[in-house]
């Protein structure tokens, strides 16, 4: 194919189209009554300074889907903003002597330009920054509404404390006993903290999981497990020789007669009282300090080495009336149940390992139906169903039948209560940091805890601050901020100096995008009702639990406040994989960072986008490959040469130019036109299905690449140059088919690589903008292959292949499969139960 004089120059083409899109407000949208909407949202970034390849992959996926829906006729909302509060800004302030507000805004400005250089279709008129005064105001307003509703409270609670960062860490932010940010060893502290009562919505959040049909099953399962509903019984174990009792939640009341010791969490509030005065008090204190600093995920893992220490105290098994020792155990957590576990070593593996290690005797209470266990011979716990033994009046019952009977007995005798337990705990939002949204609470010596008056919102962070070198928040030491008047009685009062967890900001930002300039409430309800819920949400799997759960919680609160009509914020969820290099996640410490700016300067944004969409399915990790990027660059150059080659051939002859503009296809086309049209419509069909139904963007690109290869094989510029001058029906058909193929190729490429697609569209003589054009449709009759290759399965496993005519009937296809020689060998004269035909794909013979 003849080389064209004009080269593909991304450095010229991409800024050109970005400027045109910007000048014409191409991606600014408004609510349009009667027009179907589509809200496409990627999780917004923290403004750390520069976007990385993980960002680029996330946003390239989102931009592809947004542009695709635009071309399908949807009114597409595709906004971008900044999750702008957070500890890194504070650390930067200390390190570089720059205010967090300036550091954050400078980063936002830089990253915004990076995103614009990628050509993403964001409506920048809707940009939201969570550190802005208007956003902080309405978030504080929501806090006060939740406070009025009884969903906010303050209490003393054990927390993970990082001495270096001088703040509380969530359990998920403790890694191997150390702070995830600075790797300092975390310690346990008791602090007064503000909590949001997410547990009030535990059942609703759990039930809502079953409606999340557009979410990955893996994420839904993680949400359900985090909520952790279980039916069981809460049992009172009276303390021996002292007042009080240990409350235990269990789902295995059938094993209570085998409970021969008690395990409690190191954080349990009775630890100090139970161990006081014992011979091991000092050792106990050291054990508790060591274990509470460990990662809770590590402590609760199945393979953790079981550790414990005897408190010196006992409690009474309420069914056997025996005294049983109380141990502190590393694998028991306060986050689940009551922080105390009745230990049944013969029927729980963790308890078995613990008992063996510390020489605690065993007691079998469930025997297998076909065997007789002996305590001295057991090498592991027996956890299957069986028959009750050593269990008083319940002996001889199947353990599963005895469950309700034992629970009823306990309730009748005041020993326990049937209950439902949740793993979910209330959300602690207090952070002892400066760069966050202030909690709008005042402490008055006369009135107590008083919410800030609505008319005084927002509570603003003071800008004139010095950050102490120890990293502590400066807020408690700023009299102008702390000292205030009580809004009720006017007395001198003190302001709350904790700020909110940044997860609060990300729990409602998607509603703010619907009306970012609205100043009468957190958002304009009419706008939110038009755009919400989000039709497609995209982000990393690391947010599968907390962010998504908190967002679902906030949306339910908003519904109960009468502010929205829906309970679920996100219809569909895509969790994209990481971008890795040399088999590892990109990081500075590993020296495997690939800078998006460098790649864009070298290859152009379209090439980078194409590689990230092509190199792996979106939900899988993507391994960076320089050769892969070069391959994508070569492919775009081939597309460029193909389109310009066709257009040069057309422009060189008036007769071709005239025929090329035909609006209708002549009937009964054969030869070139038939071949081209079949290729075009097959490609459109496959690409459309891959994008819309399967979200397999990599295979969609492969289909387009196959089309381009076929078009090169045909050598269209040469075919056009060799066409006769005189008109004929075949010539008209061929010209129509060539134009249809070229236009379709550009349209199919456009959501993936919008800049070069716009330029080729312009070169083809088409009107601006490509994205005002409808996504190409396909004719199934034209797309149909004359012959179809089908897989033949026997009991779901591929055993053969066959080719059939495209117009074959279902019975003809099934009969052909049944007489296939390889299939007959696998059936081996067994009776056929049924034959399943999956159209154009496979035949499954079930025997």
């Amino acid at each position: 194919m003849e080389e064209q004089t004009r080269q593909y120059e991304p450095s010229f083409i991409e800024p050109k189209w970005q400027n045109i899109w910007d000048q014409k407000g191409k991606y600014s949208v408004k609510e349009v009554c009667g027009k179907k909407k589509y809200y496409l949202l990627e999780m917004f970034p923290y403004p750390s300074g520069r976007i990385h390849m993980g960002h680029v992959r996330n946003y390239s996926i989102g931009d592809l889907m947004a542009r695709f829906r635009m071309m399908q006729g949807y009114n597409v909302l595709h906004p971008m903003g900044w999750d702008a509060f957070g500890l890194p800004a504070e650390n930067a302030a200390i390190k570089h002597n720059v205010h967090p507000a300036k550091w954050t805004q400078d980063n936002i400005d830089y990253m915004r330009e990076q995103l614009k250089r990628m050509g993403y279709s964001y409506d920048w008129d809707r940009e939201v920054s969570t550190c802005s005064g208007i956003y902080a105001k309405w978030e504080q307003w929501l806090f006060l509404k939740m406070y009025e509703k009884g969903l906010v409270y303050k209490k003393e609670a054990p927390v993970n404390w990082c001495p270096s960062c001088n703040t509380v860490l969530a359990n998920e932010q403790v890694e191997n006993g150390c702070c995830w940010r600075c790797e300092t060893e975390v310690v346990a502290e008791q602090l007064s903290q503000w909590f949001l009562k997410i547990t009030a919505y535990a059942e609703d959040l759990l039930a809502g999981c079953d409606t999340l049909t557009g979410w990955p099953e893996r994420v839904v399962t993680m949400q359900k497990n985090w909520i952790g509903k279980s039916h069981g019984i809460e049992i009172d174990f009276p303390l021996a020789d002292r007042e009080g009792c240990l409350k235990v939640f269990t789902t295995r009341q059938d094993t209570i007669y085998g409970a021969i010791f008690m395990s409690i969490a190191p954080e349990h509030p009775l630890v100090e009282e139970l161990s006081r005065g014992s011979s091991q008090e000092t050792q106990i204190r050291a054990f508790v300090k060591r274990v509470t600093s460990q990662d809770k995920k590590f402590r609760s893992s199945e393979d953790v080495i079981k550790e414990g220490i005897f408190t010196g105290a006992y409690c009474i098994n309420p069914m056997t009336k025996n005294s049983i020792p109380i141990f502190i155990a590393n694998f028991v957590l306060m986050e689940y149940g009551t922080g105390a576990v009745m230990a049944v070593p013969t029927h729980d593996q963790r308890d078995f390992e613990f008992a063996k290690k510390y020489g605690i005797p065993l007691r079998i209470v469930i025997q297998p139906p076909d065997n007789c266990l002996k305590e001295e011979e057991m090498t592991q716990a027996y956890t299957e169903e069986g028959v009750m033994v050593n269990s008083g009046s319940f002996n001889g019952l199947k353990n599963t039948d005895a469950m309700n009977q034992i629970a009823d007995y306990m309730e009748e005798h005041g020993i326990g209560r049937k209950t439902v337990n949740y793993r979910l705990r209330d959300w602690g939002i207090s952070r002892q940091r400066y760069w966050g949204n202030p909690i709008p609470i005042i402490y008055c010596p006369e009135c107590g805890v008083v919410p800030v008056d609505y008319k005084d919102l927002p509570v603003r962070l003071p800008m004139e601050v010095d950050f102490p070198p120890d990293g502590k928040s400066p807020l408690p030491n700023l009299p102008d901020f702390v000292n205030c008047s009580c809004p009720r009685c006017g007395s001198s009062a003190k302001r709350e100096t904790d700020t909110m967890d940044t997860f609060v900001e990300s729990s409602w930002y998607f509603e703010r995008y619907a009306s970012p300039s609205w100043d009468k409430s957190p958002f304009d309800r009419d706008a939110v009702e038009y755009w919400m819920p989000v039709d497609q949400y995209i982000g990393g799997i690391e947010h599968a639990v907390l962010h998504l759960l908190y967002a679902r919680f906030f949306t339910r609160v908003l519904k109960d406040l009468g502010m929205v009509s829906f309970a679920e914020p996100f219809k569909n969820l895509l969790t994209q994989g990481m971008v890795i290099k040399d088999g590892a996640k990109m990081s500075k410490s590993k020296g495997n960072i690939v800078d998006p700016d460098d790649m864009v300067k070298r290859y152009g944004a379209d090439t980078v986008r194409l590689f990230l969409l092509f190199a792996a399915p979106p939900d899988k990790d993507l391994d960076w490959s320089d050769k892969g990027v070069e391959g994508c660059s070569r492919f775009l150059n081939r597309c460029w040469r193909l389109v310009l080659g066709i257009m040069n051939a057309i422009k060189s002859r008036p007769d071709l130019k005239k025929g090329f503009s035909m609006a209708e296809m002549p009937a009964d086309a054969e030869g070139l036109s038939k071949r081209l049209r079949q290729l075009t419509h097959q490609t459109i069909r496959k690409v459309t299905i891959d994008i819309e139904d399967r979200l397999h963007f990599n295979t969609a690109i492969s289909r387009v690449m196959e089309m381009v290869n076929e078009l090169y094989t045909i050598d269209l510029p040469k075919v056009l140059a060799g066409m006769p001058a005189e008109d004929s029906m075949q010539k008209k058909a061929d010209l129509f088919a060539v134009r249809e193929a070229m236009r379709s190729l550009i349209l199919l490429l456009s959501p993936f690589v919008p800049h070069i697609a716009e330029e080729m569209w312009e070169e083809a003589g088409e009107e601006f903008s490509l994205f005002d054009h409808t996504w190409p449709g396909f004719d199934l009759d034209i797309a149909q292959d004359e012959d179809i290759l089908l897989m033949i399965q026997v009991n779901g496993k591929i055993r053969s292949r066959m080719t059939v005519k495209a117009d074959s009937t279902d019975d003809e296809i099934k009969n052909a499969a049944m007489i296939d020689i390889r299939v007959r060998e696998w059936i081996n004269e067994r009776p056929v139960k049924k034959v399943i035909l999956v159209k154009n794909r496979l035949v499954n013979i079930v025997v």
Side-chain angles (χ1 to χ4, degrees):
M1 186 174 291
E2 182 183 350
E3 289 287 328
Q4 304 304 313
T5 53
R6 186 181 170 201
Q7 300 296 310
Y8 166 48
E9 298 178 279
S11 60
F12 166 75
I13 291 171
E14 291 176 355
K16 166 189 169 181
W17 287 106
Q18 290 162 14
N19 289 333
I20 292 173
W21 295 331
D22 188 48
Q23 291 168 8
K24 294 184 178 291
K26 191 77 197 73
Y27 305 118
S28 295
V29 293
K30 296 180 179 179
E31 300 82 52
V32 180
C33 183
K35 187 174 183 180
K36 54 186 180 180
K37 67 90 182 180
Y38 197 86
Y39 188 173
L40 189 290
L41 182 63
E42 306 101 16
M43 295 179 186
F44 64 171
Y46 178 78
S48 58
R50 302 175 75 87
I51 62 172
H52 54 68
M53 277 300 174
H55 289 128
V56 178
R57 187 185 191 196
N58 185 348
Y59 306 148
S60 296
I61 291 170
D63 196 60
L64 154 65
M65 299 179 75
R67 292 178 183 275
F68 175 71
R69 294 298 182 182
M70 288 177 198
M71 298 174 74
Q72 286 190 317
Y74 287 89
N75 190 23
V76 176
L77 174 58
H78 188 204
M80 177 50 69
W82 312 97
D83 192 6
F85 277 131
L87 185 61
E90 226 166 308
N91 290 342
I94 297 169
K95 184 176 180 180
H96 303 295
N97 193 29
V98 58
H99 196 282
K102 175 173 172 48
W103 185 86
T104 301
Q105 191 57 53
D106 288 347
N107 288 350
I108 287 174
D109 293 341
Y110 188 86
M111 292 172 71
R112 185 191 304 111
E113 289 308 307
Q114 286 185 294
L115 295 177
K116 288 185 174 182
R117 181 65 186 86
M118 294 302 303
Y120 297 132
S121 57
Y122 294 130
D123 181 353
W124 286 106
D125 293 338
R126 295 175 181 266
E127 183 178 11
V128 163
S129 176
T130 61
C131 67
S132 68
I134 189 70
Y135 196 92
K137 172 183 177 178
W138 294 117
E139 185 166 285
Q140 293 171 16
W141 186 94
L142 289 171
F143 176 95
L144 295 180
K145 288 295 180 185
M146 294 171 77
Y147 183 85
E148 291 170 3
K149 195 174 172 61
L151 294 173
V152 179
Y153 65 93
K154 193 176 190 182
K155 71 170 184 178
E156 288 278 330
V159 296
N160 304 308
W161 179 260
C162 175
S164 175
C165 297
N166 281 289
T167 194
V168 171
L169 302 177
N171 291 341
E172 293 70 30
Q173 295 169 327
V174 180
E175 299 176 350
N176 298 319
C178 296
C179 174
W180 68 298
R181 295 188 185 100
C182 66
E183 299 184 355
T184 299
E185 185 175 335
V186 172
V187 297
E189 296 279 359
Q190 284 283 133
L191 287 180
S192 184
Q193 300 279 292
W194 285 100
F195 289 84
L196 300 185
K197 202 170 183 180
I198 190 173
T199 54
Y201 288 82
E203 186 60 35
D204 193 24
L205 287 165
L206 184 63
C209 288
D210 292 332
T211 70
L212 303 176
T213 54
W215 287 36
E217 185 176 339
R218 172 189 177 193
V219 176
V220 175
T221 299
M222 292 169 74
Q223 292 258 314
K224 288 181 176 180
N225 290 343
W226 191 263
I227 297 167
K229 181 180 181 179
S230 53
H231 293 269
I233 188 163
E234 189 177 76
I235 308 170
D236 295 331
F237 282 72
L239 296 174
D241 304 323
R242 68 183 75 197
E243 293 292 323
C245 69
L246 278 171
K247 294 184 183 298
V248 170
F249 173 81
T250 182
T251 60
R252 292 296 310 274
Q253 58 266 29
D254 55 321
T255 65
I256 188 168
Y257 284 89
I260 55 175
F261 67 95
M262 181 69 67
S263 300
I264 65 174
E267 301 89 349
H268 197 286
L270 286 178
V271 163
E272 186 175 346
E273 176 187 335
L274 294 176
S275 60
R276 189 179 299 124
S278 74
S279 60
Q280 294 197 97
E281 187 173 0
T282 302
Q283 294 94 316
I284 289 171
R285 195 173 291 114
F287 176 82
V288 168
K289 181 179 180 181
R290 176 171 61 83
V291 174
T292 53
S293 69
Q294 294 173 348
D295 181 2
K296 289 183 173 63
K297 288 181 181 178
F298 167 74
R299 282 171 54 190
S300 60
S301 64
E302 290 184 5
D303 55 354
V304 69
I305 297 174
K306 310 303 181 289
E307 291 185 273
I309 190 168
F310 178 43
T311 61
Y314 293 81
C315 61
I316 307 299
N317 183 322
M319 298 296 276
T320 66
K321 308 304 180 185
N322 294 331
S323 290
I324 61 175
I326 303 172
F327 283 81
I328 303 168
N330 66 333
F331 56 85
V332 181
L333 305 178
M334 281 301 299
E335 280 71 20
Y336 187 74
T338 63
V341 176
M342 66 176 202
V344 186
T346 49
H347 305 294
D348 181 275
Q349 187 59 31
R350 291 191 313 177
D351 296 341
F352 181 86
E353 294 172 17
F354 191 94
K356 283 292 186 181
K357 181 172 183 176
Y358 293 101
I360 303 170
L362 308 183
R363 178 184 174 89
I364 294 170
V365 293
I366 299 174
Q367 287 283 7
D370 56 355
N371 193 8
C372 183
L373 298 174
K374 295 181 180 179
E375 285 90 349
E376 64 273 14
E377 296 176 356
M378 293 185 74
T379 57
Q380 63 182 22
Y382 177 72
T383 58
E384 305 301 319
E385 294 179 9
V387 179
M388 303 274 291
V389 297
N390 299 322
S391 300
S393 61
F394 302 101
N395 284 343
L397 293 176
K398 281 188 65 176
N399 70 304
T400 51
D401 294 337
M403 298 280 280
N404 283 331
Q405 294 185 37
I406 293 174
D408 290 340
Y409 178 91
M410 288 181 173
E411 285 200 317
E412 290 169 7
H413 292 79
I415 294 170
R417 299 152 296 284
K418 293 179 184 178
T419 187
V420 174
N421 192 72
Y422 295 93
R423 180 177 183 268
L424 181 67
R425 290 292 179 262
D426 284 337
W427 174 12
I429 65 163
S430 293
R431 297 295 180 265
Q432 294 68 41
R433 307 304 314 171
Y434 164 80
W435 191 237
N437 196 3
I439 294 175
I441 290 292
I442 290 170
Y443 301 100
C444 173
E446 304 297 328
C447 305
V449 177
V450 182
V452 172
D453 197 297
Y454 284 103
K455 66 179 176 59
D456 295 328
L457 298 180
V459 176
R460 297 182 183 274
L461 289 172
M463 290 293 105
E464 298 297 324
V465 292
D466 293 319
F467 291 91
D470 62 5
K472 290 183 179 179
S473 169
L475 291 178
N477 299 316
L478 296 174
D480 290 346
F481 176 78
V482 173
N483 297 329
C484 60
S485 298
C486 174
R488 285 183 186 165
C489 69
S491 299
S492 297
K494 301 289 184 181
R495 195 181 298 282
E496 172 65 74
T497 58
D498 282 357
T499 53
M500 296 189 211
D501 180 8
T502 54
F503 273 117
V504 177
E505 279 83 69
S506 59
S507 294
W508 68 283
Y509 76 106
F510 35 88
E511 272 113 359
R512 184 66 186 175
Y513 278 141
S515 52
S517 300
W518 188 255
D519 62 357
K520 299 177 182 177
S521 59
F523 45 76
D524 178 359
R525 174 162 183 168
D526 290 341
V528 165
E529 291 296 326
Y530 177 85
W531 290 113
M532 289 291 293
V534 173
D535 294 282
Q536 182 67 64
Y537 199 33
I538 306 171
I541 191 69
E542 66 272 17
H543 299 295
V545 176
L546 293 186
H547 162 58
L548 293 173
L549 191 65
Y550 294 155
R552 296 180 61 221
F553 161 57
F554 250 70
T555 304
R556 281 163 167 75
V557 173
L558 294 174
K559 184 181 180 185
D560 287 349
L561 290 171
M563 298 176 67
V564 301
S565 64
F566 48 89
E568 293 294 346
F570 313 120
K571 278 187 182 178
N572 298 289
L573 174 69
L574 172 63
T575 53
Q576 93 280 354
M578 294 189 301
V579 180
I580 61 177
K581 191 172 188 291
D582 304 325
K585 182 180 179 180
M586 289 186 182
S587 68
K588 292 180 180 178
S589 62
K590 293 184 176 71
N592 63 351
I593 291 285
V594 177
D595 187 349
D597 286 356
D598 293 343
M599 291 293 105
V600 170
K601 288 175 184 176
R602 185 174 177 184
Y603 295 105
D606 280 342
T607 294
V608 176
R609 291 164 58 127
L610 186 68
F611 171 75
L612 291 170
L613 294 166
F614 174 63
D619 58 335
K620 306 297 182 185
D621 288 350
L622 181 153
D623 204 343
W624 183 267
S625 165
D626 291 338
K627 288 184 178 179
V629 179
E630 291 168 3
C632 287
S633 178
R634 287 194 300 271
F635 169 70
L636 291 183
N637 273 283
R638 293 189 81 212
C639 294
W640 176 264
R641 292 195 300 270
L642 175 64
V643 171
L644 265 64
I646 292 171
M647 291 313 301
N648 284 347
I650 294 296
K651 292 173 184 177
S652 68
R653 286 176 48 181
D655 62 309
L656 297 183
K657 192 172 183 180
K658 178 182 177 183
F660 200 66
S661 61
M662 281 188 307
E664 294 185 7
M665 171 71 183
D668 301 325
E670 293 294 335
L672 174 65
S673 59
K674 184 174 183 179
R675 180 183 176 187
L676 272 179
R677 298 210 76 203
Q678 185 181 59
L679 172 66
T680 300
H681 285 256
Q682 286 177 344
T683 306
I684 295 171
R685 176 177 176 270
K686 292 173 182 176
V687 171
T688 302
I689 292 172
D690 281 343
I691 294 176
E692 186 168 26
D693 298 337
R694 302 175 66 224
L695 303 184
H696 284 191
F697 312 129
N698 55 320
T699 56
I701 295 169
S702 294
R703 317 279 193 198
V704 179
M705 289 178 171
E706 291 167 4
M707 179 182 183
V708 171
N709 289 339
E710 185 67 16
L711 293 176
Y712 264 87
T713 300
I714 296 171
D715 198 349
L716 291 179
K718 185 175 180 180
V719 169
L720 291 166
M723 282 186 177
E726 61 275 9
D727 286 340
S728 67
M729 292 303 293
Q730 186 61 52
K731 178 181 176 183
K732 290 180 179 179
D734 290 348
L735 283 171
F736 181 93
V738 170
R739 180 172 184 260
E740 182 184 48
M742 185 189 70
R743 294 175 87 251
S744 298
L745 170 64
I746 299 171
L747 289 166
L748 294 176
L749 282 169
S750 61
F752 300 91
V753 286
H755 307 90
I756 190 174
E758 284 272 35
E759 189 73 9
M760 291 189 297
W761 192 250
E762 185 178 70
E763 286 289 332
E766 304 289 348
E767 294 183 359
F768 176 82
S769 160
L770 176 61
F771 297 102
D772 291 330
H773 197 283
T774 303
W775 182 258
F778 57 87
D779 187 320
L780 271 174
D781 292 333
I782 298 173
Q784 192 70 32
D785 282 313
E786 292 184 3
D787 292 324
I788 302 172
L789 177 65
L790 296 178
M791 305 295 111
I792 309 177
Q793 296 179 339
V794 178
N795 290 343
K797 294 186 177 180
I798 296 173
R799 300 305 185 191
S800 188
R801 294 171 173 80
M802 69 178 181
T803 301
V804 299
K805 293 293 183 184
D807 57 358
S808 298
T809 66
D810 290 355
D811 287 341
E812 288 172 340
I813 293 172
K814 291 178 181 178
N815 290 336
M818 291 293 295
I819 63 174
D820 183 275
I821 188 168
R822 292 178 183 166
V823 170
R824 292 182 63 165
E825 291 174 357
W826 281 102
I827 293 177
N828 195 23
E829 299 184 356
R830 288 177 291 175
V832 175
K833 296 179 180 179
K834 59 182 175 179
V835 180
I836 302 167
L837 174 62
V838 180
K839 194 75 172 176
N840 296 334
R841 289 181 58 197
L842 61 85
V843 181
N844 184 20
I845 301 169
V846 181
V847 296

